[in-house]
């Protein structure tokens, strides 16, 4: 019973630290997720560990039932956050903007990813690698870190600014969907290679394991793409058939339980193939994304989202912060040049793609800044690869800070652009603003925008309809201060 009490105390401490940090940062008009990370940071080696190392060590012992429970909560938090990210990946017609999507997607992916691979050759991979990392895996992580864009972050920013109905916003989100899918495909390959290096392969790959690195890479790429293609083609159909067929009784009795079963089933399928279960979580979210739209907020998804955002996701971010050791692992020189190169390369490549598609210089500039937000996917990339022993603490700290700061910059830039030049978006023929920009609606986790319109601007007034971000809540609550007229 003593160990059970310890587990409950530790979970309570991390939960309070995460939510208190989120509350404080929201009051300061900063992204709540940063507060959740800072809450965990203060419990770890960067703060409490300096003044009371025994207390900090008691919270997360290296080998005990408490450590195993925290590890399980951390893994479930990762799976649920990726699942919620998948819910944001909805398809929409863009008509004439397909040329822009094509050019910016190719330029914004290929150039940054290739640049990351090239930069990795110029640095000492051993200085960034963890116990299971290699030159190849470090190169892939660096390429992804420069290329990725966060869907939840940029969608939250544009929602707060009241421009989610614009063609600009839909173009940004469409390109971001493609980039995030690439992230999880390549991440599946990276994690697979780490298991091979650690001799902990599982599933189908373990049955055909060889000593050929070429075979391993080919297997993980093929397995990930095959799983993605099958789920993309039939995932939604399978979800609906199960809901009305074999699992109809479970769907009627508990819609949330049915969705969790579907989620875990896809995760188990991934593990059977030998790829990381987070890829199954992503595809489960994508399979349910259209269902959420059609039902104007599925009750089952609301329950899953609400509990995930109340418990698993905050503790996940708090544990990410707990693992950051700024005292020993923050290399300012390394972070500075990584931050500068990542921003410049991503900006220039996306800007060039937009210009080649026929967009104006100003539009291309705003689009490129929006695509620089890395947010939740960047943090997932950092935390998952660190947990797998691929990268070390130095690289972890740099990637988390890169994700946070680029998200902040995107929000500040777009806010000021709309304040100075409302015509930038009001001239968009597809733009329909659904709410007045001075109204701020606080939505509890699990609710959809508009579900509770009575609570107005406590934490940063002057923001149009704010909703708890379903994955990383990186966008600043102050993002919507810039006022702009609605398009007629």
């Amino acid at each position: 019973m003593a160990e059970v009490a310890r587990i409950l105390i530790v979970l309570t401490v991390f939960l309070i630290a995460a939510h208190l940090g989120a509350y404080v940062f929201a009051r300061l008009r900063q992204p709540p997720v940063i507060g959740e990370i800072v809450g965990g940071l203060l419990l770890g080696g960067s703060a409490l560990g300096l003044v009371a190392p025994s207390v900090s060590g008691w919270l997360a012992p290296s080998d005990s039932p408490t450590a195993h429970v925290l590890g399980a909560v951390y893994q479930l938090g990762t799976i649920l956050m990726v699942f919620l990210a998948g819910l944001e990946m909805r398809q929409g017609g863009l008509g004439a903007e397909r040329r822009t999507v094509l050019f910016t997607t190719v330029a914004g992916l290929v150039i940054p990813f290739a640049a990351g691979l090239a930069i990795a050759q110029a640095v000492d991979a051993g200085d960034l690698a963890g116990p299971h990392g290699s030159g190849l895996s470090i190169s892939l992580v660096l390429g992804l870190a420069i290329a990725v864009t966060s869907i939840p972050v940029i969608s939250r920013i544009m929602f707060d600014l009241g421009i989610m109905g614009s063609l600009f916003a839909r173009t940004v989100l469409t390109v971001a969907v493609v980039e995030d899918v690439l992230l999880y495909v390549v991440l599946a390959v990276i994690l697979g290679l780490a298991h091979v290096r650690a001799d902990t392969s599982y599933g189908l790959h373990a049955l055909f394991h060889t000593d050929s690195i070429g075979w391993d890479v080919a297997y993980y790429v093929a397995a990930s793409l095959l799983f993605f293609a099958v789920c993309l083609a039939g995932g939604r159909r399978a979800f609906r058939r199960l809901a009305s067929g074999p699992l109809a009784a479970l769907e009627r009795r508990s819609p949330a339980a049915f969705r969790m079963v579907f989620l875990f089933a896809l995760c188990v399928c991934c593990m059977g193939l030998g790829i990381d279960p987070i890829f199954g979580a992503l595809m489960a979210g994508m399979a349910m994304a259209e269902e959420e739209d059609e039902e104007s907020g599925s009750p089952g998804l609301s329950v899953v989202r609400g509990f995930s955002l109340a418990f698993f996701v905050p503790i996940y971010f708090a544990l990410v912060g707990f693992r950051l050791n700024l005292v020993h692992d923050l290399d300012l020189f390394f972070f500075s040049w990584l931050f500068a190169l990542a921003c410049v390369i991503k900006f220039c490549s996306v800007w060039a793609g937009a210009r080649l598609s026929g967009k104006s210089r100003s539009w291309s500039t705003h689009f490129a800044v929006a695509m620089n937000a890395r947010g939740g996917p960047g943090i997932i990339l950092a935390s998952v690869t660190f947990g797998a022993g691929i990268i070390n603490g130095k690289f972890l700290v740099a990637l988390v800070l890169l994700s946070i700061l680029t998200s902040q910059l995107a929000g500040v830039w777009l806010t000021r652009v709309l304040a100075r030049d409302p015509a930038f978006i009001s001239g968009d023929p597809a733009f329909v603003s659904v709410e007045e920009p001075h109204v701020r609606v606080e939505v509890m986790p699990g609710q959809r925008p508009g579900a509770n319109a009575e609570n107005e601007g406590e934490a940063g007034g002057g923001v149009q309809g704010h909703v708890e971000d379903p994955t990383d809540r990186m966008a600043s609550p102050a993002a919507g201060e810039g006022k702009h007229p609605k398009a007629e």
Side-chain angles (χ1 to χ4, degrees):
M1 291 300 295
E3 194 62 42
V4 173
R6 181 180 186 177
I7 291 171
L8 293 176
I9 292 172
V10 169
L11 289 175
T12 301
V13 169
F14 275 104
L15 196 60
I16 291 175
H19 280 286
L20 183 60
Y23 173 78
V24 171
F25 271 67
R27 299 295 294 179
L28 295 174
R29 305 170 84 159
Q30 295 298 313
V33 69
I34 301 180
E36 292 172 349
I37 294 175
V38 170
L41 184 73
L42 294 177
L43 297 176
S46 301
L48 183 61
L50 295 177
V51 296
S54 59
V55 176
S56 181
W58 186 85
L59 290 174
S62 57
D63 187 19
S64 73
T66 301
H68 297 313
V69 170
L70 283 179
V73 172
Y74 181 86
Q75 293 297 329
L76 286 172
T78 306
I79 287 173
L80 288 168
M81 198 175 84
V82 174
F83 166 72
L84 295 176
L87 289 175
E88 298 299 302
M89 297 186 182
R90 303 180 182 93
Q91 299 176 353
L94 289 171
E97 293 303 308
R98 290 175 183 172
R99 176 182 172 88
T100 303
V101 171
L102 175 62
F103 277 74
T104 54
T105 298
V106 173
L109 274 177
V110 176
I111 296 176
F113 190 74
L117 297 180
I119 293 171
Q121 305 307 311
V123 301
D124 180 10
D127 191 40
L128 304 175
H132 303 144
S134 64
L136 175 59
S137 59
I138 293 299
S139 298
L140 293 174
V141 171
L142 191 53
L144 288 179
I146 295 177
V148 71
T149 297
S150 173
I151 294 173
V153 167
I154 199 61
S155 63
R156 164 67 181 272
I157 290 172
M158 293 187 292
F159 183 86
D160 282 349
L161 291 174
I163 63 174
M164 277 297 286
S166 70
L167 199 57
F168 174 86
R170 290 193 292 122
T171 304
V172 169
L173 294 178
T174 300
V175 177
V177 165
V178 179
E179 294 189 354
D180 276 16
V181 168
L182 172 73
L183 163 71
Y184 291 108
V185 171
V186 179
L187 187 56
V189 176
I190 295 172
L191 294 173
L193 293 176
H195 284 297
V196 171
R197 190 175 179 86
D199 197 23
T200 56
S201 297
Y202 52 85
L204 188 61
H205 177 268
L207 299 177
F208 302 100
H209 175 61
T210 68
D211 293 329
S212 171
I213 187 67
W215 156 254
D216 292 330
V217 172
Y219 174 84
Y220 286 114
V221 170
S224 301
L225 291 178
L226 177 63
F227 185 80
F228 172 75
V230 170
C231 290
L232 194 63
R236 290 169 186 162
R237 189 181 307 112
F239 175 79
R240 289 167 180 167
R241 286 186 178 179
L242 288 172
S244 59
L247 297 180
L250 179 61
E251 160 69 2
R252 289 192 298 269
R253 185 180 188 278
S254 176
F258 169 70
R259 283 150 184 79
M260 292 297 293
V261 168
F262 186 80
L263 163 62
F264 291 151
L266 288 190
C267 291
V268 171
C269 287
C270 277
M271 298 185 72
L273 291 173
I275 56 181
D276 196 272
I278 64 172
F279 200 58
L282 177 77
M283 301 314 299
M286 294 179 68
M288 299 182 205
E290 292 299 320
E291 178 240 6
E292 182 183 34
D293 282 345
E294 292 172 4
E295 297 183 12
S296 300
S298 162
L301 285 178
S302 295
V303 172
V304 174
R305 178 187 285 109
F307 189 69
S308 298
L309 293 173
F311 181 76
F312 286 103
V313 173
I315 290 183
Y316 165 79
F317 280 119
L319 288 173
V320 169
F322 185 85
R323 294 180 176 186
L324 297 179
N325 193 323
L326 301 183
V327 177
H328 296 99
D329 294 330
L330 177 58
D331 185 330
L332 286 176
F333 176 74
F334 170 67
F335 170 71
S336 297
W337 70 254
L338 175 63
F339 178 81
L341 283 178
C343 290
V344 170
I345 293 170
K346 182 70 174 181
F347 175 88
C348 291
S349 60
V350 174
W351 188 89
R355 290 289 289 152
L356 287 173
S357 70
K359 293 298 183 181
S360 67
R361 290 186 178 180
S362 61
W363 194 98
S364 301
T365 297
H366 307 325
F367 188 81
V369 172
M371 295 300 296
N372 239 315
R374 289 168 176 84
I379 295 176
I380 290 174
L381 173 66
S383 61
V384 170
T385 51
F386 178 76
I390 298 169
I391 65 174
N392 60 15
K394 172 182 172 180
F395 206 2
L396 170 71
V397 169
L399 290 180
V400 171
L401 293 180
L402 175 66
S403 301
I404 291 173
L405 292 181
T406 53
S407 300
Q408 287 282 70
L409 289 175
V412 171
W413 178 278
L414 291 178
T415 298
R416 292 183 177 180
V417 165
L418 285 174
R420 291 197 314 264
D421 183 21
F424 157 62
I425 203 68
S426 62
D428 186 336
F431 176 51
V432 179
S433 180
V434 295
E435 297 181 42
E436 293 297 331
H438 67 277
V439 177
R440 175 184 177 89
V441 181
E442 289 289 346
V443 183
M444 294 300 292
Q447 289 182 324
R448 294 178 60 81
N452 181 7
E454 297 178 357
N455 301 320
E456 296 185 4
E458 287 185 4
V463 183
Q464 184 252 338
H466 159 66
V467 60
E468 177 85 44
D469 190 302
T471 58
D472 61 10
R473 294 151 290 160
M474 290 285 301
S476 171
E481 290 184 337
K483 298 202 171 33
H484 57 284
K486 291 194 295 183
E488 298 298 332

